[in-house]
Structure formats: structure tokens, C-alpha cells
Amino acid sequence: MLVTFRVKDTHTTLHSRPAEITALELAALTRRLHSSNATLDVDEGEFGVAPLNFEINANAMSMASFTACFDHRAEIIAVVEEAQFLGRTLRVTHLGRLSPIMIEVSEHIALARDLMMGPDLAAKLLFALGRDNAEAGEIALESLRELLQEPRIYDAFAAAKIAPLYDSLTYLAFTDCGEQAPVLEWAP
């Protein structure tokens, strides 16, 4: 099982509310996303061509392209606009046959790519950061930046022979997230 390290923000207050979309609007959105070669982050167990639960970088298409899929509905424009402004992903969810299809601003920062690795490598990375175990957890990006600037941390990465991961982690830690307060979260 892979361990995923992902930058997310759960503290910033969102001004938009999740909006309900129709199946036809979802079909228009996925058709447009596929034609623009946008990368969909599809939930596990979803069919990649016609997913019902996925995330997409809000900046994958222009605002005009997004809103054309939704007949220029104001509540959806608000969601897309806020996600684009914050550099977040958009989350589309459909929990079941009788539940509505929803679109909302996700917690995930779109500018920072996910790091995925096996549990042994993740345990080495976390140990180099001074963490005892590879259980799910999080660290504020600001704290991670400060930690990565300490010479002993780089030495721990080098001693564990995972120095390239130090560079990848540094790249994530110094992602400009504006005025948001993101964390690096990891979970199997």
C-alpha cells in the first residue's frame, strides 16, 4: 500500500458553498476536460473515462470553459472562481444513486504535486524528519520549512540514502500558497 504526502488547507474559510450539478452538466464537464487533456485525480474504484468522484485543478481550463458546461450558473461560477483564486482543486462527488452530484472547492492545493511512495520509504522519510512512525499525520508547511532548513535534517536524509526525497519535500514545503495556512498530510 502506498503512502501519499499531499498539501492541503483545512483552515482557510471558504466563501462559496458546494453547488449541485446535473448529470448532463457533469457529462459536459468531463467531455470538455477530456478534450482539453486535463488530468483528473479520480477516486479509487472509479472508471477513468466517466468518473463520478474526482478532483481537477481549477486552473485546468479557463473560467469561460468551466461555466459554459454549467450554463453560466452563478453558484458554480462562485465555486470555480474561488478555487482558481486559491490555487485549489475542484471536487466533484456523487455518493450514491439517490444523492445529488456536487461540485465544491477542495482542500487540496493544486500547485503542489502529491508524493507517493512505499511504506518503507515513507518510514525513512518520516524518521529523517524526527517522526517516530509512519502512521497518518500532518505538519504545518511553515513548520516543515523551518525543519528542512536545519542541517541535521539534511544529514538524516543523506544518512538514510534518500537525499532526492529531501529535494522533493523542499519543493513542496516552499510552494507559494498565498495567505492560506496549508499542511503536509500523509496517509496510507
Side-chain angles (χ1 to χ4, degrees):
M1 176 178 285
L2 294 176
V3 177
T4 303
F5 291 82
R6 175 175 265 182
V7 177
K8 57 191 286 192
D9 174 26
T10 57
H11 302 295
T12 301
T13 302
L14 299 176
H15 300 286
S16 65
R17 295 183 181 259
E20 187 174 333
I21 62 175
T22 67
L24 290 175
E25 290 170 330
L26 176 60
L29 175 63
T30 55
R31 191 171 38 257
R32 189 160 303 218
L33 290 169
H34 287 305
S35 69
S36 65
N37 294 322
T39 303
L40 300 177
D41 184 7
V42 179
D43 288 4
E44 188 175 325
E46 287 287 326
F47 182 60
V49 176
L52 296 174
N53 297 285
F54 63 93
E55 290 191 15
I56 183 69
N57 183 340
N59 291 302
M61 296 188 310
S62 69
M63 175 63 83
S65 293
F66 271 116
T67 58
C69 298
F70 304 107
D71 198 26
H72 307 285
R73 291 176 35 212
E75 67 274 18
I76 297 185
I77 291 171
V79 170
V80 174
E81 185 176 49
E82 186 166 30
Q84 287 183 342
F85 178 75
L86 294 173
R88 303 264 195 101
T89 59
L90 289 167
R91 175 94 183 129
V92 174
T93 54
H94 184 241
L95 301 177
R97 198 174 71 128
L98 299 176
S99 63
I101 304 167
M102 304 298 290
I103 188 167
E104 63 187 316
V105 178
S106 171
E107 299 173 335
H108 303 128
I109 306 294
L111 303 172
R113 61 187 170 92
D114 294 351
L115 288 178
M116 295 192 308
M117 59 192 76
D120 294 339
L121 192 55
K124 285 182 179 182
L125 182 147
L126 292 169
F127 183 77
L129 288 174
R131 302 288 174 147
D132 293 6
N133 55 41
E135 302 281 323
E138 66 181 37
I139 185 172
L141 239 50
E142 187 173 317
S143 299
L144 181 60
R145 286 183 203 118
E146 292 170 6
L147 198 59
L148 291 171
Q149 292 178 27
E150 295 179 20
R152 69 176 178 83
I153 298 298
Y154 179 78
D155 293 343
F157 274 80
K161 296 182 172 59
I162 56 170
L165 285 179
Y166 177 87
D167 296 335
S168 296
L169 208 54
T170 301
Y171 178 78
L172 281 181
F174 286 91
T175 300
D176 182 9
C177 298
E179 296 180 11
Q180 299 176 81
V183 297
L184 178 68
E185 175 187 85
W186 57 90

Coordinates of all heavy atoms in Angstrom, one line a residue, residues 51-94:
P51 N -15.9 9.3 -14.6 CA -15.9 9.2 -13.2 C -17.0 10.0 -12.6 O -17.5 11.0 -13.1 CB -14.5 9.8 -12.8 CG -14.2 10.8 -13.8 CD -14.8 10.2 -15.1
L52 N -17.4 9.6 -11.4 CA -18.5 10.4 -10.6 C -17.8 11.1 -9.4 O -18.5 11.9 -8.8 CB -19.6 9.4 -10.2 CG -20.4 8.8 -11.3 CD1 -21.4 7.8 -10.7 CD2 -21.1 9.9 -12.1
N53 N -16.7 10.6 -9.0 CA -16.0 11.2 -7.8 C -14.5 11.5 -8.2 O -13.7 10.5 -8.4 CB -16.0 10.2 -6.7 CG -17.4 10.0 -6.2 OD1 -18.0 10.8 -5.6 ND2 -18.0 8.8 -6.5
F54 N -14.2 12.8 -8.3 CA -12.8 13.1 -8.8 C -12.5 14.5 -8.4 O -13.4 15.3 -8.0 CB -12.7 12.9 -10.3 CG -13.5 13.8 -11.1 CD1 -13.1 15.0 -11.6 CD2 -14.8 13.4 -11.5 CE1 -13.9 15.8 -12.4 CE2 -15.7 14.2 -12.2 CZ -15.2 15.4 -12.7
E55 N -11.2 14.9 -8.6 CA -10.8 16.2 -8.4 C -10.0 16.7 -9.7 O -9.5 15.9 -10.4 CB -9.8 16.4 -7.2 CG -10.5 16.1 -5.9 CD -9.7 16.5 -4.7 OE1 -8.7 17.2 -4.8 OE2 -10.2 16.1 -3.6
I56 N -10.1 18.0 -9.9 CA -9.5 18.6 -11.1 C -8.9 19.9 -10.7 O -9.5 20.6 -9.9 CB -10.5 18.7 -12.2 CG1 -9.8 19.2 -13.5 CG2 -11.7 19.5 -11.9 CD1 -8.9 18.3 -14.2
N57 N -7.7 20.2 -11.2 CA -7.1 21.5 -11.0 C -8.1 22.6 -11.5 O -8.5 22.5 -12.7 CB -5.8 21.6 -11.7 CG -5.0 22.9 -11.5 OD1 -5.6 23.9 -11.1 ND2 -3.7 22.9 -11.7
A58 N -8.5 23.5 -10.7 CA -9.4 24.6 -11.1 C -8.9 25.4 -12.2 O -9.6 26.1 -12.9 CB -9.8 25.4 -9.9
N59 N -7.6 25.4 -12.4 CA -6.9 26.2 -13.4 C -6.7 25.4 -14.7 O -5.9 25.9 -15.6 CB -5.7 26.9 -12.9 CG -6.0 28.0 -11.9 OD1 -6.7 28.9 -12.2 ND2 -5.5 27.8 -10.7
A60 N -7.2 24.2 -14.8 CA -7.0 23.3 -15.9 C -7.7 23.9 -17.2 O -7.3 23.6 -18.3 CB -7.6 21.9 -15.7
M61 N -8.7 24.7 -17.0 CA -9.4 25.3 -18.1 C -9.7 26.8 -17.7 O -9.7 27.1 -16.5 CB -10.7 24.6 -18.4 CG -10.6 23.2 -18.9 SD -12.2 22.4 -19.4 CE -13.3 22.7 -18.2
S62 N -10.1 27.5 -18.7 CA -10.5 28.9 -18.4 C -11.8 29.0 -17.7 O -12.6 28.0 -17.7 CB -10.6 29.7 -19.7 OG -11.7 29.3 -20.4
M63 N -12.1 30.1 -17.0 CA -13.4 30.3 -16.4 C -14.5 30.1 -17.4 O -15.6 29.5 -17.1 CB -13.4 31.6 -15.7 CG -14.8 32.0 -15.1 SD -15.2 30.9 -13.7 CE -14.3 31.6 -12.4
A64 N -14.4 30.7 -18.6 CA -15.4 30.6 -19.6 C -15.7 29.2 -20.0 O -16.8 28.8 -20.2 CB -15.0 31.4 -20.8
S65 N -14.6 28.3 -20.1 CA -14.8 26.9 -20.4 C -15.6 26.2 -19.3 O -16.5 25.4 -19.6 CB -13.5 26.2 -20.7 OG -12.9 26.8 -21.8
F66 N -15.2 26.4 -18.1 CA -15.9 25.8 -17.0 C -17.4 26.2 -17.0 O -18.3 25.4 -16.9 CB -15.3 26.2 -15.6 CG -14.2 25.2 -15.2 CD1 -12.9 25.7 -15.1 CD2 -14.5 23.9 -14.9 CE1 -11.9 24.9 -14.6 CE2 -13.5 23.1 -14.4 CZ -12.2 23.5 -14.3
T67 N -17.6 27.5 -17.0 CA -19.0 28.0 -16.8 C -19.9 27.6 -18.0 O -21.1 27.5 -17.8 CB -19.1 29.5 -16.6 OG1 -18.4 30.2 -17.7 CG2 -18.4 29.9 -15.3
A68 N -19.3 27.4 -19.2 CA -20.1 27.0 -20.3 C -20.7 25.6 -20.1 O -21.8 25.3 -20.6 CB -19.3 27.0 -21.6
C69 N -20.0 24.8 -19.3 CA -20.5 23.4 -19.0 C -21.8 23.5 -18.1 O -22.5 22.6 -18.0 CB -19.5 22.6 -18.3 SG -18.0 22.3 -19.3
F70 N -21.9 24.6 -17.4 CA -22.9 24.8 -16.4 C -23.9 25.9 -16.7 O -24.6 26.4 -15.8 CB -22.3 25.0 -15.0 CG -21.3 23.9 -14.6 CD1 -20.0 24.2 -14.6 CD2 -21.8 22.7 -14.3 CE1 -19.1 23.2 -14.3 CE2 -20.9 21.7 -13.9 CZ -19.5 21.9 -13.9
D71 N -24.0 26.2 -18.0 CA -25.0 27.3 -18.4 C -24.8 28.6 -17.6 O -25.8 29.2 -17.3 CB -26.4 26.7 -18.3 CG -27.4 27.6 -19.2 OD1 -26.9 28.2 -20.1 OD2 -28.6 27.6 -18.8
H72 N -23.6 28.9 -17.3 CA -23.2 30.1 -16.6 C -24.0 30.4 -15.3 O -24.3 31.5 -14.9 CB -23.4 31.3 -17.5 CG -22.7 31.1 -18.8 ND1 -21.3 31.3 -19.0 CD2 -23.1 30.8 -20.1 CE1 -21.0 31.0 -20.2 NE2 -22.0 30.7 -20.9
R73 N -24.2 29.3 -14.5 CA -24.9 29.4 -13.2 C -24.0 30.1 -12.2 O -22.9 29.7 -12.0 CB -25.3 28.0 -12.7 CG -26.4 27.4 -13.6 CD -26.9 26.0 -13.2 NE -26.8 25.7 -11.8 CZ -26.5 24.5 -11.4 NH1 -26.3 23.5 -12.2 NH2 -26.5 24.3 -10.1
A74 N -24.6 31.1 -11.5 CA -23.8 31.9 -10.6 C -23.2 31.1 -9.4 O -22.0 31.4 -9.1 CB -24.7 33.0 -10.0
E75 N -23.9 30.2 -8.9 CA -23.4 29.4 -7.8 C -22.2 28.6 -8.1 O -21.3 28.4 -7.4 CB -24.5 28.6 -7.1 CG -25.0 27.4 -7.9 CD -26.2 27.8 -8.8 OE1 -26.4 29.0 -9.1 OE2 -26.9 26.9 -9.3
I76 N -22.1 28.1 -9.4 CA -21.0 27.3 -9.9 C -19.8 28.2 -10.2 O -18.7 27.9 -10.0 CB -21.4 26.4 -11.0 CG1 -22.4 25.4 -10.5 CG2 -20.2 25.7 -11.6 CD1 -22.9 24.4 -11.4
I77 N -20.1 29.4 -10.8 CA -19.1 30.3 -11.1 C -18.4 30.7 -9.8 O -17.2 30.8 -9.8 CB -19.7 31.6 -11.8 CG1 -20.1 31.2 -13.2 CG2 -18.7 32.7 -11.9 CD1 -20.9 32.3 -13.9
A78 N -19.1 30.9 -8.7 CA -18.5 31.3 -7.4 C -17.6 30.2 -6.9 O -16.5 30.5 -6.4 CB -19.6 31.5 -6.4
V79 N -18.0 28.9 -7.1 CA -17.1 27.8 -6.7 C -15.8 27.8 -7.5 O -14.7 27.7 -6.9 CB -17.9 26.5 -6.8 CG1 -16.9 25.3 -6.6 CG2 -19.0 26.4 -5.8
V80 N -16.0 27.8 -8.8 CA -14.8 27.7 -9.7 C -13.9 28.9 -9.5 O -12.7 28.8 -9.4 CB -15.2 27.6 -11.2 CG1 -14.0 27.7 -12.1 CG2 -16.0 26.4 -11.4
E81 N -14.5 30.1 -9.3 CA -13.7 31.3 -9.1 C -12.9 31.3 -7.9 O -11.7 31.6 -7.8 CB -14.6 32.5 -9.1 CG -13.9 33.9 -9.0 CD -14.9 35.0 -9.1 OE1 -15.9 35.0 -8.4 OE2 -14.7 35.9 -9.9
E82 N -13.5 30.8 -6.8 CA -12.8 30.7 -5.5 C -11.6 29.7 -5.6 O -10.5 29.9 -5.1 CB -13.7 30.4 -4.4 CG -13.0 30.4 -3.0 CD -14.0 30.4 -1.8 OE1 -15.1 29.9 -1.9 OE2 -13.6 31.0 -0.8
A83 N -11.9 28.5 -6.2 CA -10.9 27.5 -6.3 C -9.7 28.0 -7.2 O -8.6 27.8 -6.8 CB -11.5 26.2 -7.0
Q84 N -10.0 28.7 -8.3 CA -9.0 29.3 -9.1 C -8.2 30.3 -8.3 O -6.9 30.4 -8.4 CB -9.5 29.9 -10.4 CG -10.0 28.9 -11.4 CD -10.5 29.5 -12.7 OE1 -10.8 30.7 -12.8 NE2 -10.5 28.6 -13.7
F85 N -8.8 31.2 -7.6 CA -8.2 32.2 -6.8 C -7.2 31.6 -5.7 O -6.1 32.1 -5.5 CB -9.2 33.2 -6.1 CG -8.6 34.2 -5.3 CD1 -8.0 35.3 -5.9 CD2 -8.6 34.1 -3.9 CE1 -7.4 36.3 -5.1 CE2 -8.0 35.1 -3.1 CZ -7.4 36.2 -3.7
L86 N -7.7 30.6 -5.1 CA -6.9 30.0 -4.0 C -5.9 28.9 -4.5 O -5.1 28.4 -3.7 CB -7.8 29.3 -3.0 CG -8.7 30.2 -2.2 CD1 -9.7 29.4 -1.3 CD2 -7.9 31.1 -1.3
G87 N -5.9 28.6 -5.8 CA -5.0 27.6 -6.3 C -5.3 26.2 -5.9 O -4.5 25.4 -5.6
R88 N -6.6 25.9 -5.7 CA -7.1 24.7 -5.2 C -7.6 23.8 -6.4 O -7.8 24.3 -7.5 CB -8.2 24.9 -4.2 CG -7.9 25.7 -3.0 CD -7.5 24.9 -1.8 NE -7.5 25.7 -0.6 CZ -8.5 25.7 0.3 NH1 -9.5 24.9 0.1 NH2 -8.4 26.4 1.4
T89 N -8.0 22.6 -6.0 CA -8.6 21.7 -6.9 C -10.1 21.8 -6.7 O -10.6 22.3 -5.7 CB -8.2 20.2 -6.8 OG1 -8.5 19.8 -5.5 CG2 -6.7 20.0 -7.1
L90 N -10.9 21.4 -7.7 CA -12.4 21.3 -7.6 C -12.7 19.9 -7.3 O -12.1 19.0 -7.9 CB -13.0 21.7 -8.9 CG -13.0 23.2 -9.3 CD1 -13.4 23.4 -10.7 CD2 -13.9 24.0 -8.3
R91 N -13.6 19.6 -6.4 CA -14.0 18.3 -6.1 C -15.4 18.0 -6.6 O -16.3 18.8 -6.3 CB -14.0 18.2 -4.5 CG -14.5 16.9 -4.0 CD -13.3 15.9 -3.8 NE -13.8 14.6 -3.4 CZ -13.5 13.5 -4.0 NH1 -12.6 13.5 -5.0 NH2 -13.9 12.4 -3.6
V92 N -15.6 17.0 -7.3 CA -16.9 16.5 -7.8 C -17.2 15.2 -7.1 O -16.4 14.3 -7.1 CB -16.9 16.3 -9.3 CG1 -18.3 15.7 -9.8 CG2 -16.7 17.6 -10.0
T93 N -18.4 15.2 -6.4 CA -18.8 14.0 -5.7 C -20.2 13.6 -6.0 O -21.1 14.4 -6.2 CB -18.6 14.1 -4.2 OG1 -19.4 15.3 -3.8 CG2 -17.2 14.3 -3.7
H94 N -20.4 12.3 -6.0 CA -21.7 11.7 -6.2 C -21.7 10.4 -5.3 O -21.1 9.4 -5.6 CB -22.0 11.3 -7.6 CG -23.4 10.8 -7.8 ND1 -23.6 9.6 -8.3 CD2 -24.6 11.4 -7.6 CE1 -24.9 9.4 -8.4 NE2 -25.5 10.5 -8.0

